[in-house]
Amino acid sequence: MHDKSAVLILEAPWNIYEGDVNRSSVEPFFQGLAKQSNDVEILHSRFYDVSSFRLAFAALSKHKYKNAIVYVAGHGDGQRVGGAKIVDIMIECSLKSVAANITGVILGSCFSAGTAKRSQADTINYLVQESNIAWVAAYNCAAYWHESTMIDLSIIRQMIRAEESDFQDRGDISEELARGIECFSPHFPLGSNGKSDRERELMSLKQGISFFSQPRGQGNRSRCVTAEVWGMWKGLQLQNEVEFEDA
């Protein structure tokens, strides 16, 4: 086993502005994270479709790490991240999870947890079953780029330091995930419902992100734990709920 942990970043082109040819990237933010520790590696590759995703993922996941987190970043429509379907991404993550010791996955794209009409929760839960993956984070809104990247960075910073013992109990996993978002307000506008003009509505962080967990042990299955994570979040704040709402 590799003596370091790793963040495996697979990133699709963003094309945020005219002439943005693979220039916009989440990678520099995570290189900053790596500089804070001598036992975390940041591995990065681009992908453009499902074939290039599989090739890139095979290259990044060929070693077994102390703790590995997969971060897939790109535009999403509720069924795909970049040019790869969410189902194909999760299949690859599950198949390689034991060999690379992948403990968590973040689907860093708009509507990666699904849309109001079509949820991806059942797909995520089903494909995590019997894998080494203990947790997944995904979005159910059209998330703002910078804000969601900072949230992803904070979650990964927390979860890359987690020990194997933290994945034995669902409550412990929820607490670790809550610590990953403890410095964010649940009420700040994370994005929107993706509609235009008069039908467009802003969505808060609490509305726009979903968490799933699968503790270690036979018989444990993946399920959504978003409510539990926010319950843990409250206990990590200095102000109580009444004071927070009055602020």
Side-chain angles (χ1 to χ4, degrees):
M1 179 185 290
H2 206 293
D3 61 352
K4 292 187 177 184
S5 297
V7 183
L8 314 181
I9 303 174
L10 295 107
E11 187 173 23
W14 292 103
N15 300 318
I16 294 176
Y17 53 86
E18 186 176 354
D20 182 11
V21 182
N22 283 345
R23 186 168 186 266
S24 298
S25 176
V26 300
E27 183 186 12
F29 298 97
F30 288 85
Q31 291 296 348
L33 171 64
K35 291 182 184 298
Q36 295 180 320
S37 175
N38 63 359
D39 62 352
V40 176
E41 291 189 355
I42 305 297
L43 306 179
H44 178 271
S45 183
R46 293 281 186 176
F47 74 95
Y48 304 91
D49 53 24
V50 66
S51 296
S52 57
F53 177 88
R54 286 171 176 152
L55 289 171
F57 189 64
L60 298 189
S61 61
K62 62 184 178 181
H63 298 296
K64 187 167 188 175
Y65 294 94
K66 179 182 176 182
N67 181 8
I69 295 174
V70 176
Y71 179 34
V72 186
H75 290 298
D77 61 5
Q79 298 184 54
R80 297 173 178 80
V81 179
K85 290 184 178 179
I86 292 171
V87 63
D88 292 325
I89 290 171
M90 291 305 301
I91 287 173
E92 292 298 313
C93 291
S94 294
L95 291 175
K96 300 288 196 316
S97 63
V98 173
N101 197 28
I102 296 167
T103 61
V105 177
I106 291 187
L107 300 173
S109 75
C110 298
F111 300 111
S112 53
T115 63
K117 292 184 177 180
R118 182 174 180 178
S119 172
Q120 289 288 349
D122 288 344
T123 298
I124 292 171
N125 283 327
Y126 178 76
L127 293 174
V128 166
Q129 308 282 6
E130 300 180 6
S131 73
N132 192 64
I133 298 169
W135 62 273
V136 177
Y139 292 94
N140 33 271
C141 69
Y144 298 140
W145 193 94
H146 181 81
E147 287 83 347
S148 61
T149 300
M150 294 302 99
I151 292 164
D152 297 338
L153 177 64
S154 184
I155 293 171
I156 289 175
R157 177 179 178 271
Q158 180 65 34
M159 301 307 290
I160 201 67
R161 298 183 295 182
E163 301 291 339
E164 181 61 27
S165 59
D166 295 317
F167 303 135
Q168 306 302 312
D169 179 79
R170 202 180 301 273
D172 290 342
I173 299 172
S174 293
E175 183 175 358
E176 291 298 314
L177 289 167
R179 291 186 183 280
I181 58 170
E182 67 180 337
C183 61
F184 297 95
S185 166
H187 307 299
F188 94 86
L190 173 63
S192 74
N193 60 1
K195 297 182 180 181
S196 57
D197 302 329
R198 294 182 179 180
E199 295 184 339
R200 182 175 183 269
E201 295 180 359
L202 292 178
M203 294 183 67
S204 67
L205 172 59
K206 192 172 184 178
Q207 295 171 313
I209 194 167
S210 293
F211 297 102
F212 307 84
S213 74
Q214 177 178 252
R216 305 296 192 228
Q218 188 174 3
N220 286 325
R221 294 290 182 264
S222 177
R223 68 171 175 82
C224 181
V225 291
T226 308
E228 290 93 324
V229 171
W230 284 111
M232 296 284 187
W233 176 93
K234 288 182 181 179
L236 297 171
Q237 305 304 303
L238 294 178
Q239 294 175 305
N240 63 38
E241 187 175 2
V242 174
E243 290 174 332
F244 184 83
E245 291 179 349
D246 290 342

